[in-house]
Amino acid sequence: MRIEEHPILDFKRGREIHFYYNGKKIRAYEGETIAAALHAAGVKVLSKSLKLERQRGFFCGIGKCSSCLMKVNGVPNVRTCITLVKDGMIVEDNDMELPEKEYPKCKFEKIECEIAIVGGGPAGLSAAIEASQYADVLIVDENHQLGGQLIKQTHKFFGSKKQRAGTRGIEIAKILEEEARKNCRVLLNTGVIGYYDRGYHFLAAVNRVDGIIYEIKAKKIIFATGAQENMLVFEGNDLPGVYGAGGVQTLMNVYGVKPGERGIIIGAGNVGLILAYQLLQAGVKVACIVEALPKIGGYFVHAAKVRRCGIPIYTSHSIKKAYGNGRVEGAVIAKLDENWNFIEGSEKDIKCDFICLAVGLTPAIRLIAQTGATISFINEAGGWIALHNEYMETTKEGIYVAGDLANIEEASTAMIEGRIAGLHAANAIKQIPNFEEKIREYMEELEIFRQGYFGVRPKKAKEKIMERYYEKVGERRSS
């Protein structure tokens, strides 16, 4: 299952190590997660549902779902998709029982900073780079490396030269991390578990790897927690082998592990189209792409590339069911009528061993909702969203959002919004020379990115967000 050759990526695996899964010795490499190592060893079932004990497998790859929860060294409910494997580690199926032995004692550390940034993806890193020119900045990320979704993007970005058009996402991640680390403190493997208003902004965060609980006091907080994969309702959608598109990218492009040998992709937006090409680069066959809409939703250049590779794209189709004995062995797709109902007799049986769902994202609002910032449902933005103004500040003063948490868009706009949030937060602490000029420049860049056909939805989303924000707070807060 491991990828040995790739036209773009060079998988420099770490030292070979071994761990134990239910008593069986498993080979792994330093630097990869438990779930990736298990997948490479052919272990597809990572957990079971609580009530019916239905088998569940790898899905999101970013710690947002519960499919990969396992017991590690006696500790239950460990998210194995973001936990690095270690030599001699003992991994077991989650029996949902509390461990008999006592937990090791944790260390407590107090940290003060001017601006805390939760999330080290494109938006969070851009906010950190901007803000750290003027303020003391701390970045907190639950993953073992910075970069967010960029670390798995092998395609070259579009847009302006200023936003690194023509550069692959994996390279942009390295550039942003290098810039951010110059002036910022960074906490990795550290998940923020709560926000508290103590008359000042306070975060509780836990590093479960090193057993450290952090108490973080900040003047301003920028939440850039991203988004999570949408699920699609169909028979067999929880079979091991049904993945979120981002989960497949993580397995392939970060850890060099194939999701399977032949798969189908549900969704012909940019993510689905790009994923199809990335699968081919990894030596994986793509049987077809299925799109419910009557036309392809992604850029023409991506669709043309996929079609040149001989991958059929079925529009006005959707998946009816996935089937298999304990794992995906095939799928049935069918044509949709104008009322989104399946047309009987149009079914196609596709033999495959995995299914990728590229059906959109939902902002990850669980943390921002704890702050008391007003949350509102805006369909065009991807679902529930924290209302914010043009400076990315929410209805809770001193609390900001950026990136997919603020509106599901491209990584390029996430980076610009991160810059805006970082600049405004820093200016609110100490006045920055030429602040108005700098902020105007970023806003003009945003306006350019949202022009054209593919900018209609995000632009409409922002208009609704702003309208509801000012209905809530009244006059503008500009500092």
Side-chain angles (χ1 to χ4, degrees), residues 12-89:
K12 296 178 180 178
R13 296 185 171 94
R15 179 174 66 94
E16 183 175 315
I17 57 176
H18 293 87
F19 69 105
Y20 296 88
Y21 167 61
N22 288 345
K24 182 180 178 182
K25 191 175 183 180
I26 303 286
R27 183 185 66 164
Y29 294 94
E30 285 185 339
E32 65 185 11
T33 61
I34 299 169
L38 286 172
H39 204 285
V43 178
K44 297 290 184 72
V45 179
L46 303 181
S47 65
K48 293 182 180 180
S49 66
L50 290 175
K51 189 174 181 180
L52 301 178
E53 295 192 343
R54 290 177 63 86
Q55 295 175 328
R56 300 281 164 80
F58 193 97
F59 182 75
C60 75
I62 54 173
K64 300 292 187 185
C65 72
S66 60
S67 293
C68 70
L69 295 181
M70 304 180 83
K71 183 183 283 189
V72 178
N73 290 339
V75 179
N77 298 327
V78 174
R79 293 176 293 175
T80 57
C81 71
I82 61 172
T83 303
L84 293 179
V85 67
K86 293 186 177 180
D87 197 28
M89 184 177 269

Side-chain angles (χ1 to χ4, degrees), residues 177-210:
E177 178 177 7
E178 185 178 342
E179 289 185 30
R181 284 187 178 274
K182 289 177 182 176
N183 298 312
C184 302
R185 288 178 284 170
V186 178
L187 296 179
L188 293 178
N189 300 309
T190 303
V192 174
I193 59 172
Y195 166 89
Y196 305 88
D197 187 339
R198 297 184 171 178
Y200 53 85
H201 300 304
F202 178 87
L203 296 172
V206 176
N207 181 326
R208 295 183 70 175
V209 175
D210 299 320

Side-chain angles (χ1 to χ4, degrees), residues 23 26 30 45 50 77 83 109 114 164 178 200 219 231 234 290-291 312 329 331 344 367 398 407 459:
I26 303 286
E30 285 185 339
V45 179
L50 290 175
N77 298 327
T83 303
E109 292 188 17
E114 291 183 303
R164 301 183 173 87
E178 185 178 342
Y200 53 85
K219 293 180 180 179
M231 176 51 78
F234 58 92
V290 180
E291 172 56 58
E329 294 175 354
E344 292 301 322
L367 268 176
N407 188 16
K459 191 172 183 179

